[in-house]
Amino acid sequence: MALAVRVIAPDKTVWDESSDEVILPSTTGQLGILTGHAPLLTALDTGVMRVRVGKDWAAIALMGGFAEIENDEVIILVNSAERGTTIDKEEARAAFSEAESKLNSVRNTGSRQELIQANLAYKRARARLQAARGLA
């Protein structure tokens, strides 16, 4: 028996396939989902979702949202998402370096609002790079 997994962003369905296991970046930490999981509704953080189909793992960068698990169905509604295989690794690495530099400079001299924005940009860039398998 498998999980029916759907990742839905406002502009497209990013994933709609059966899988054996899902690991989600919830706001309280990593959350593993297998068949027979208890019903659950959880908020998702910006991070990488991993989906196992057979022996292969797929990575999807999620930019926050919610997940509902019920009756071996996992429905994920997100602000934005990208499959790791569609992300250019070098472009993601450059964006991560830029976001990291910006965050470091804002920590010392920026306002609270600038720090929040820089931290969010850093988390997004890190998730994209991790999904592209450019960062452990």
Side-chain angles (χ1 to χ4, degrees), residues 91-101 121-122 125-127 129 135:
E91 182 264 316
R93 192 179 316 279
F96 175 74
S97 293
E98 184 179 323
E100 188 175 41
S101 294
Y122 172 80
R126 184 182 66 201
L129 184 55
L135 185 67

Side-chain angles (χ1 to χ4, degrees), residues 9-91:
D11 57 339
K12 63 185 171 189
T13 298
V14 178
W15 182 277
D16 190 2
E17 298 177 30
S18 293
S19 67
D20 300 307
E21 183 177 359
V22 176
I23 299 174
L24 297 171
S26 80
T27 55
T28 59
Q30 297 292 308
L31 178 64
I33 309 295
L34 297 168
T35 56
H37 197 285
L40 174 71
L41 181 62
T42 187
L44 299 175
D45 200 359
T46 296
V48 178
M49 167 186 167
R50 303 209 186 274
V51 183
R52 183 172 61 85
V53 179
K55 292 183 179 184
D56 297 323
W57 286 90
I60 302 171
L62 302 180
M63 304 306 162
F66 295 92
E68 178 184 29
I69 296 97
E70 189 171 23
N71 299 325
D72 291 335
E73 185 176 34
V74 180
I75 299 172
I76 299 161
L77 303 174
V78 291
N79 299 323
S80 177
E82 282 182 89
R83 285 186 183 215
T85 55
T86 65
I87 298 170
D88 180 287
K89 194 184 297 184
E90 292 311 312
E91 182 264 316

Side-chain angles (χ1 to χ4, degrees), residues 87-124:
I87 298 170
D88 180 287
K89 194 184 297 184
E90 292 311 312
E91 182 264 316
R93 192 179 316 279
F96 175 74
S97 293
E98 184 179 323
E100 188 175 41
S101 294
K102 174 78 172 170
L103 179 59
N104 288 333
S105 71
V106 167
R107 276 188 180 138
N108 300 325
T109 60
S111 68
R112 188 175 197 296
Q113 181 67 24
E114 288 173 320
L115 182 59
I116 291 169
Q117 290 174 345
N119 191 46
L120 183 57
Y122 172 80
K123 286 173 72 172
R124 288 179 175 160

